Amino acid sequence: MEAKIIPSLWFDNNAKEAMNYYVSVFPNSKIKNIEYYPDEKLDEHFVGMSGKVLNGEFSLNGLDFICLDGGPIFKFNEAVSFTVTCKNQAEIDDYWSKLSHVKEAEQCGWCKDKFGISWQIIPENLGQLMAKGDKAVQVLMKQKKIIIEEFKNL
């Protein structure tokens, strides 16, 4: 049995905006499908949801996601984040500039986007950088966006 696991994102009322934003940030990405809530007369749960996303399907660089506009009941938090592994500092800088929108959420390569989703923007060789011991940990703990160059002279 082969099950596919797909992250599902609950937005208040801006799922379509978020999908468009994310596919603009990541290469090889696309919106696959959007279904909108049906007429609110069909069920009490649909009241006020007309025109909002009931089910959005999109792919970010080959990873599938689904999403919906569910209202303000649930909010994103740091308990779940998405990690972007980058080849070099230029990639880190590019993703950071696009995804970091909450300065107080920045620490050790973590940032939060304008929709409240947390991201870890890290170099693909972070394990090697951290293998340099306690000094590497001290460097990392002082960083917001990871600066690879700061690890080189340890």
Side-chain angles (χ1 to χ4, degrees), residues 123-152:
E124 62 186 10
N125 67 337
L126 183 61
Q128 290 173 326
L129 297 175
M130 297 309 295
K132 295 181 178 184
D134 291 346
K135 289 185 179 188
V137 172
Q138 290 175 324
V139 167
L140 182 66
M141 293 306 293
K142 292 178 184 174
Q143 295 181 336
K144 293 186 179 281
K145 174 179 72 175
I146 293 178
I147 307 297
I148 297 170
E149 187 66 30
E150 293 179 7
F151 290 89
K152 294 206 174 179

PDB file of all heavy atoms in Angstrom, residues 123-152:
ATOM      1  N   PRO A 123      21.192  26.328   4.507  1.00  0.00           N
ATOM      2  CA  PRO A 123      22.071  25.778   3.472  1.00  0.00           C
ATOM      3  C   PRO A 123      21.996  24.254   3.499  1.00  0.00           C
ATOM      4  O   PRO A 123      21.822  23.651   4.567  1.00  0.00           O
ATOM      5  CB  PRO A 123      23.455  26.280   3.874  1.00  0.00           C
ATOM      6  CG  PRO A 123      23.371  26.535   5.334  1.00  0.00           C
ATOM      7  CD  PRO A 123      21.943  26.915   5.611  1.00  0.00           C
ATOM      8  N   GLU A 124      22.142  23.639   2.340  1.00  0.00           N
ATOM      9  CA  GLU A 124      22.065  22.180   2.282  1.00  0.00           C
ATOM     10  C   GLU A 124      23.197  21.516   3.060  1.00  0.00           C
ATOM     11  O   GLU A 124      23.088  20.353   3.432  1.00  0.00           O
ATOM     12  CB  GLU A 124      22.023  21.690   0.835  1.00  0.00           C
ATOM     13  CG  GLU A 124      23.247  22.020   0.011  1.00  0.00           C
ATOM     14  CD  GLU A 124      23.087  21.642  -1.458  1.00  0.00           C
ATOM     15  OE1 GLU A 124      21.971  21.307  -1.885  1.00  0.00           O
ATOM     16  OE2 GLU A 124      24.099  21.688  -2.175  1.00  0.00           O
ATOM     17  N   ASN A 125      24.263  22.252   3.350  1.00  0.00           N
ATOM     18  CA  ASN A 125      25.382  21.694   4.112  1.00  0.00           C
ATOM     19  C   ASN A 125      25.367  22.156   5.578  1.00  0.00           C
ATOM     20  O   ASN A 125      26.416  22.198   6.231  1.00  0.00           O
ATOM     21  CB  ASN A 125      26.709  22.057   3.452  1.00  0.00           C
ATOM     22  CG  ASN A 125      27.007  23.541   3.502  1.00  0.00           C
ATOM     23  OD1 ASN A 125      26.099  24.366   3.640  1.00  0.00           O
ATOM     24  ND2 ASN A 125      28.271  23.902   3.378  1.00  0.00           N
ATOM     25  N   LEU A 126      24.208  22.470   6.111  1.00  0.00           N
ATOM     26  CA  LEU A 126      24.131  22.935   7.491  1.00  0.00           C
ATOM     27  C   LEU A 126      24.738  21.933   8.473  1.00  0.00           C
ATOM     28  O   LEU A 126      25.415  22.315   9.422  1.00  0.00           O
ATOM     29  CB  LEU A 126      22.684  23.263   7.883  1.00  0.00           C
ATOM     30  CG  LEU A 126      22.497  23.838   9.288  1.00  0.00           C
ATOM     31  CD1 LEU A 126      23.250  25.163   9.442  1.00  0.00           C
ATOM     32  CD2 LEU A 126      21.022  24.020   9.607  1.00  0.00           C
ATOM     33  N   GLY A 127      24.530  20.660   8.241  1.00  0.00           N
ATOM     34  CA  GLY A 127      25.113  19.634   9.118  1.00  0.00           C
ATOM     35  C   GLY A 127      26.629  19.730   9.174  1.00  0.00           C
ATOM     36  O   GLY A 127      27.227  19.621  10.246  1.00  0.00           O
ATOM     37  N   GLN A 128      27.254  19.957   8.037  1.00  0.00           N
ATOM     38  CA  GLN A 128      28.716  20.109   8.001  1.00  0.00           C
ATOM     39  C   GLN A 128      29.150  21.374   8.740  1.00  0.00           C
ATOM     40  O   GLN A 128      30.137  21.364   9.468  1.00  0.00           O
ATOM     41  CB  GLN A 128      29.204  20.186   6.555  1.00  0.00           C
ATOM     42  CG  GLN A 128      29.074  18.881   5.807  1.00  0.00           C
ATOM     43  CD  GLN A 128      29.420  19.060   4.336  1.00  0.00           C
ATOM     44  OE1 GLN A 128      29.163  20.108   3.744  1.00  0.00           O
ATOM     45  NE2 GLN A 128      29.989  18.019   3.750  1.00  0.00           N
ATOM     46  N   LEU A 129      28.409  22.460   8.539  1.00  0.00           N
ATOM     47  CA  LEU A 129      28.745  23.707   9.222  1.00  0.00           C
ATOM     48  C   LEU A 129      28.633  23.549  10.731  1.00  0.00           C
ATOM     49  O   LEU A 129      29.474  24.025  11.486  1.00  0.00           O
ATOM     50  CB  LEU A 129      27.849  24.847   8.746  1.00  0.00           C
ATOM     51  CG  LEU A 129      27.948  25.236   7.275  1.00  0.00           C
ATOM     52  CD1 LEU A 129      26.905  26.289   6.927  1.00  0.00           C
ATOM     53  CD2 LEU A 129      29.347  25.717   6.920  1.00  0.00           C
ATOM     54  N   MET A 130      27.596  22.856  11.184  1.00  0.00           N
ATOM     55  CA  MET A 130      27.373  22.684  12.618  1.00  0.00           C
ATOM     56  C   MET A 130      28.334  21.676  13.235  1.00  0.00           C
ATOM     57  O   MET A 130      28.541  21.668  14.447  1.00  0.00           O
ATOM     58  CB  MET A 130      25.920  22.274  12.887  1.00  0.00           C
ATOM     59  CG  MET A 130      24.898  23.331  12.463  1.00  0.00           C
ATOM     60  SD  MET A 130      25.249  24.981  13.092  1.00  0.00           S
ATOM     61  CE  MET A 130      25.068  24.710  14.843  1.00  0.00           C
ATOM     62  N   ALA A 131      28.962  20.840  12.429  1.00  0.00           N
ATOM     63  CA  ALA A 131      29.920  19.856  12.933  1.00  0.00           C
ATOM     64  C   ALA A 131      31.185  20.517  13.461  1.00  0.00           C
ATOM     65  O   ALA A 131      32.022  19.857  14.069  1.00  0.00           O
ATOM     66  CB  ALA A 131      30.274  18.857  11.825  1.00  0.00           C
ATOM     67  N   LYS A 132      31.285  21.816  13.281  1.00  0.00           N
ATOM     68  CA  LYS A 132      32.458  22.545  13.765  1.00  0.00           C
ATOM     69  C   LYS A 132      32.380  22.821  15.271  1.00  0.00           C
ATOM     70  O   LYS A 132      33.219  23.520  15.819  1.00  0.00           O
ATOM     71  CB  LYS A 132      32.634  23.837  12.973  1.00  0.00           C
ATOM     72  CG  LYS A 132      32.941  23.573  11.505  1.00  0.00           C
ATOM     73  CD  LYS A 132      33.137  24.839  10.723  1.00  0.00           C
ATOM     74  CE  LYS A 132      33.483  24.509   9.271  1.00  0.00           C
ATOM     75  NZ  LYS A 132      33.775  25.706   8.503  1.00  0.00           N
ATOM     76  N   GLY A 133      31.341  22.325  15.925  1.00  0.00           N
ATOM     77  CA  GLY A 133      31.285  22.369  17.378  1.00  0.00           C
ATOM     78  C   GLY A 133      30.571  23.564  17.983  1.00  0.00           C
ATOM     79  O   GLY A 133      29.746  24.209  17.344  1.00  0.00           O
ATOM     80  N   ASP A 134      30.924  23.827  19.235  1.00  0.00           N
ATOM     81  CA  ASP A 134      30.251  24.856  20.022  1.00  0.00           C
ATOM     82  C   ASP A 134      30.331  26.235  19.382  1.00  0.00           C
ATOM     83  O   ASP A 134      29.392  27.023  19.466  1.00  0.00           O
ATOM     84  CB  ASP A 134      30.842  24.928  21.429  1.00  0.00           C
ATOM     85  CG  ASP A 134      30.517  23.689  22.256  1.00  0.00           C
ATOM     86  OD1 ASP A 134      29.624  22.917  21.848  1.00  0.00           O
ATOM     87  OD2 ASP A 134      31.159  23.502  23.311  1.00  0.00           O
ATOM     88  N   LYS A 135      31.457  26.518  18.742  1.00  0.00           N
ATOM     89  CA  LYS A 135      31.594  27.835  18.097  1.00  0.00           C
ATOM     90  C   LYS A 135      30.574  27.989  16.969  1.00  0.00           C
ATOM     91  O   LYS A 135      30.034  29.071  16.762  1.00  0.00           O
ATOM     92  CB  LYS A 135      33.014  28.051  17.584  1.00  0.00           C
ATOM     93  CG  LYS A 135      34.007  28.258  18.702  1.00  0.00           C
ATOM     94  CD  LYS A 135      35.372  28.598  18.168  1.00  0.00           C
ATOM     95  CE  LYS A 135      36.322  28.823  19.339  1.00  0.00           C
ATOM     96  NZ  LYS A 135      37.603  29.339  18.904  1.00  0.00           N
ATOM     97  N   ALA A 136      30.289  26.912  16.258  1.00  0.00           N
ATOM     98  CA  ALA A 136      29.280  26.960  15.195  1.00  0.00           C
ATOM     99  C   ALA A 136      27.891  27.222  15.786  1.00  0.00           C
ATOM    100  O   ALA A 136      27.101  27.985  15.228  1.00  0.00           O
ATOM    101  CB  ALA A 136      29.282  25.662  14.403  1.00  0.00           C
ATOM    102  N   VAL A 137      27.621  26.595  16.918  1.00  0.00           N
ATOM    103  CA  VAL A 137      26.338  26.819  17.590  1.00  0.00           C
ATOM    104  C   VAL A 137      26.220  28.285  17.999  1.00  0.00           C
ATOM    105  O   VAL A 137      25.171  28.913  17.809  1.00  0.00           O
ATOM    106  CB  VAL A 137      26.180  25.896  18.821  1.00  0.00           C
ATOM    107  CG1 VAL A 137      24.946  26.265  19.626  1.00  0.00           C
ATOM    108  CG2 VAL A 137      26.118  24.443  18.386  1.00  0.00           C
ATOM    109  N   GLN A 138      27.289  28.848  18.524  1.00  0.00           N
ATOM    110  CA  GLN A 138      27.268  30.258  18.924  1.00  0.00           C
ATOM    111  C   GLN A 138      27.048  31.178  17.727  1.00  0.00           C
ATOM    112  O   GLN A 138      26.309  32.153  17.822  1.00  0.00           O
ATOM    113  CB  GLN A 138      28.567  30.619  19.647  1.00  0.00           C
ATOM    114  CG  GLN A 138      28.660  29.976  21.008  1.00  0.00           C
ATOM    115  CD  GLN A 138      30.003  30.227  21.677  1.00  0.00           C
ATOM    116  OE1 GLN A 138      31.047  30.270  21.032  1.00  0.00           O
ATOM    117  NE2 GLN A 138      29.965  30.382  23.001  1.00  0.00           N
ATOM    118  N   VAL A 139      27.666  30.853  16.597  1.00  0.00           N
ATOM    119  CA  VAL A 139      27.465  31.657  15.386  1.00  0.00           C
ATOM    120  C   VAL A 139      26.003  31.584  14.961  1.00  0.00           C
ATOM    121  O   VAL A 139      25.356  32.601  14.700  1.00  0.00           O
ATOM    122  CB  VAL A 139      28.394  31.184  14.237  1.00  0.00           C
ATOM    123  CG1 VAL A 139      27.976  31.787  12.902  1.00  0.00           C
ATOM    124  CG2 VAL A 139      29.836  31.534  14.555  1.00  0.00           C
ATOM    125  N   LEU A 140      25.473  30.367  14.883  1.00  0.00           N
ATOM    126  CA  LEU A 140      24.088  30.181  14.451  1.00  0.00           C
ATOM    127  C   LEU A 140      23.107  30.924  15.357  1.00  0.00           C
ATOM    128  O   LEU A 140      22.169  31.566  14.877  1.00  0.00           O
ATOM    129  CB  LEU A 140      23.737  28.694  14.404  1.00  0.00           C
ATOM    130  CG  LEU A 140      22.331  28.365  13.914  1.00  0.00           C
ATOM    131  CD1 LEU A 140      22.161  28.742  12.448  1.00  0.00           C
ATOM    132  CD2 LEU A 140      22.028  26.891  14.120  1.00  0.00           C
ATOM    133  N   MET A 141      23.322  30.864  16.660  1.00  0.00           N
ATOM    134  CA  MET A 141      22.384  31.477  17.597  1.00  0.00           C
ATOM    135  C   MET A 141      22.356  33.004  17.489  1.00  0.00           C
ATOM    136  O   MET A 141      21.385  33.634  17.882  1.00  0.00           O
ATOM    137  CB  MET A 141      22.712  31.058  19.030  1.00  0.00           C
ATOM    138  CG  MET A 141      22.483  29.576  19.303  1.00  0.00           C
ATOM    139  SD  MET A 141      20.830  28.988  18.876  1.00  0.00           S
ATOM    140  CE  MET A 141      19.841  29.865  20.070  1.00  0.00           C
ATOM    141  N   LYS A 142      23.383  33.596  16.918  1.00  0.00           N
ATOM    142  CA  LYS A 142      23.414  35.048  16.736  1.00  0.00           C
ATOM    143  C   LYS A 142      22.812  35.486  15.408  1.00  0.00           C
ATOM    144  O   LYS A 142      22.603  36.672  15.185  1.00  0.00           O
ATOM    145  CB  LYS A 142      24.854  35.551  16.846  1.00  0.00           C
ATOM    146  CG  LYS A 142      25.421  35.427  18.240  1.00  0.00           C
ATOM    147  CD  LYS A 142      26.858  35.880  18.292  1.00  0.00           C
ATOM    148  CE  LYS A 142      27.433  35.660  19.689  1.00  0.00           C
ATOM    149  NZ  LYS A 142      28.856  35.945  19.741  1.00  0.00           N
ATOM    150  N   GLN A 143      22.547  34.534  14.547  1.00  0.00           N
ATOM    151  CA  GLN A 143      22.043  34.869  13.214  1.00  0.00           C
ATOM    152  C   GLN A 143      20.525  34.888  13.161  1.00  0.00           C
ATOM    153  O   GLN A 143      19.857  34.204  13.928  1.00  0.00           O
ATOM    154  CB  GLN A 143      22.569  33.859  12.185  1.00  0.00           C
ATOM    155  CG  GLN A 143      24.053  33.910  12.000  1.00  0.00           C
ATOM    156  CD  GLN A 143      24.534  32.918  10.943  1.00  0.00           C
ATOM    157  OE1 GLN A 143      23.894  31.931  10.653  1.00  0.00           O
ATOM    158  NE2 GLN A 143      25.692  33.211  10.370  1.00  0.00           N
ATOM    159  N   LYS A 144      20.034  35.675  12.281  1.00  0.00           N
ATOM    160  CA  LYS A 144      18.621  35.609  11.891  1.00  0.00           C
ATOM    161  C   LYS A 144      18.609  34.820  10.594  1.00  0.00           C
ATOM    162  O   LYS A 144      18.377  33.633  10.606  1.00  0.00           O
ATOM    163  CB  LYS A 144      18.032  37.002  11.773  1.00  0.00           C
ATOM    164  CG  LYS A 144      17.957  37.689  13.138  1.00  0.00           C
ATOM    165  CD  LYS A 144      17.264  39.005  13.075  1.00  0.00           C
ATOM    166  CE  LYS A 144      17.182  39.639  14.440  1.00  0.00           C
ATOM    167  NZ  LYS A 144      16.139  39.105  15.266  1.00  0.00           N
ATOM    168  N   LYS A 145      18.907  35.486   9.472  1.00  0.00           N
ATOM    169  CA  LYS A 145      19.153  34.770   8.224  1.00  0.00           C
ATOM    170  C   LYS A 145      20.533  34.143   8.339  1.00  0.00           C
ATOM    171  O   LYS A 145      21.463  34.762   8.843  1.00  0.00           O
ATOM    172  CB  LYS A 145      19.108  35.749   7.045  1.00  0.00           C
ATOM    173  CG  LYS A 145      19.486  35.127   5.729  1.00  0.00           C
ATOM    174  CD  LYS A 145      19.404  36.127   4.586  1.00  0.00           C
ATOM    175  CE  LYS A 145      20.524  37.129   4.677  1.00  0.00           C
ATOM    176  NZ  LYS A 145      20.562  38.043   3.519  1.00  0.00           N
ATOM    177  N   ILE A 146      20.665  32.908   7.888  1.00  0.00           N
ATOM    178  CA  ILE A 146      21.964  32.238   7.953  1.00  0.00           C
ATOM    179  C   ILE A 146      22.926  32.856   6.941  1.00  0.00           C
ATOM    180  O   ILE A 146      22.598  33.003   5.765  1.00  0.00           O
ATOM    181  CB  ILE A 146      21.817  30.719   7.731  1.00  0.00           C
ATOM    182  CG1 ILE A 146      21.053  30.111   8.915  1.00  0.00           C
ATOM    183  CG2 ILE A 146      23.176  30.054   7.550  1.00  0.00           C
ATOM    184  CD1 ILE A 146      20.784  28.636   8.804  1.00  0.00           C
ATOM    185  N   ILE A 147      24.097  33.201   7.440  1.00  0.00           N
ATOM    186  CA  ILE A 147      25.171  33.737   6.610  1.00  0.00           C
ATOM    187  C   ILE A 147      26.292  32.695   6.628  1.00  0.00           C
ATOM    188  O   ILE A 147      27.001  32.545   7.630  1.00  0.00           O
ATOM    189  CB  ILE A 147      25.691  35.095   7.145  1.00  0.00           C
ATOM    190  CG1 ILE A 147      24.550  36.084   7.352  1.00  0.00           C
ATOM    191  CG2 ILE A 147      26.785  35.646   6.232  1.00  0.00           C
ATOM    192  CD1 ILE A 147      23.794  36.476   6.101  1.00  0.00           C
ATOM    193  N   ILE A 148      26.441  31.973   5.547  1.00  0.00           N
ATOM    194  CA  ILE A 148      27.393  30.865   5.469  1.00  0.00           C
ATOM    195  C   ILE A 148      28.811  31.326   5.753  1.00  0.00           C
ATOM    196  O   ILE A 148      29.574  30.654   6.442  1.00  0.00           O
ATOM    197  CB  ILE A 148      27.298  30.180   4.087  1.00  0.00           C
ATOM    198  CG1 ILE A 148      25.901  29.574   3.891  1.00  0.00           C
ATOM    199  CG2 ILE A 148      28.383  29.112   3.936  1.00  0.00           C
ATOM    200  CD1 ILE A 148      25.622  29.091   2.473  1.00  0.00           C
ATOM    201  N   GLU A 149      29.186  32.476   5.254  1.00  0.00           N
ATOM    202  CA  GLU A 149      30.545  32.991   5.397  1.00  0.00           C
ATOM    203  C   GLU A 149      30.978  33.080   6.864  1.00  0.00           C
ATOM    204  O   GLU A 149      32.161  32.889   7.178  1.00  0.00           O
ATOM    205  CB  GLU A 149      30.656  34.367   4.726  1.00  0.00           C
ATOM    206  CG  GLU A 149      32.047  34.926   4.663  1.00  0.00           C
ATOM    207  CD  GLU A 149      32.998  34.136   3.771  1.00  0.00           C
ATOM    208  OE1 GLU A 149      32.539  33.516   2.787  1.00  0.00           O
ATOM    209  OE2 GLU A 149      34.207  34.133   4.077  1.00  0.00           O
ATOM    210  N   GLU A 150      30.035  33.339   7.760  1.00  0.00           N
ATOM    211  CA  GLU A 150      30.366  33.499   9.176  1.00  0.00           C
ATOM    212  C   GLU A 150      30.818  32.182   9.830  1.00  0.00           C
ATOM    213  O   GLU A 150      31.360  32.190  10.930  1.00  0.00           O
ATOM    214  CB  GLU A 150      29.188  34.102   9.933  1.00  0.00           C
ATOM    215  CG  GLU A 150      28.912  35.539   9.522  1.00  0.00           C
ATOM    216  CD  GLU A 150      27.725  36.151  10.247  1.00  0.00           C
ATOM    217  OE1 GLU A 150      27.164  35.531  11.182  1.00  0.00           O
ATOM    218  OE2 GLU A 150      27.372  37.287   9.872  1.00  0.00           O
ATOM    219  N   PHE A 151      30.610  31.045   9.164  1.00  0.00           N
ATOM    220  CA  PHE A 151      31.024  29.742   9.680  1.00  0.00           C
ATOM    221  C   PHE A 151      32.409  29.341   9.179  1.00  0.00           C
ATOM    222  O   PHE A 151      33.013  28.420   9.694  1.00  0.00           O
ATOM    223  CB  PHE A 151      30.038  28.647   9.255  1.00  0.00           C
ATOM    224  CG  PHE A 151      28.692  28.744   9.922  1.00  0.00           C
ATOM    225  CD1 PHE A 151      27.684  29.500   9.353  1.00  0.00           C
ATOM    226  CD2 PHE A 151      28.450  28.071  11.103  1.00  0.00           C
ATOM    227  CE1 PHE A 151      26.443  29.580   9.958  1.00  0.00           C
ATOM    228  CE2 PHE A 151      27.210  28.150  11.713  1.00  0.00           C
ATOM    229  CZ  PHE A 151      26.207  28.906  11.141  1.00  0.00           C
ATOM    230  N   LYS A 152      32.908  30.017   8.162  1.00  0.00           N
ATOM    231  CA  LYS A 152      34.115  29.551   7.467  1.00  0.00           C
ATOM    232  C   LYS A 152      35.388  29.631   8.281  1.00  0.00           C
ATOM    233  O   LYS A 152      36.291  28.839   8.081  1.00  0.00           O
ATOM    234  CB  LYS A 152      34.265  30.297   6.148  1.00  0.00           C
ATOM    235  CG  LYS A 152      33.139  29.935   5.200  1.00  0.00           C
ATOM    236  CD  LYS A 152      33.502  30.094   3.785  1.00  0.00           C
ATOM    237  CE  LYS A 152      32.328  29.558   2.972  1.00  0.00           C
ATOM    238  NZ  LYS A 152      32.475  29.653   1.601  1.00  0.00           N
TER     239      LYS A 152
END
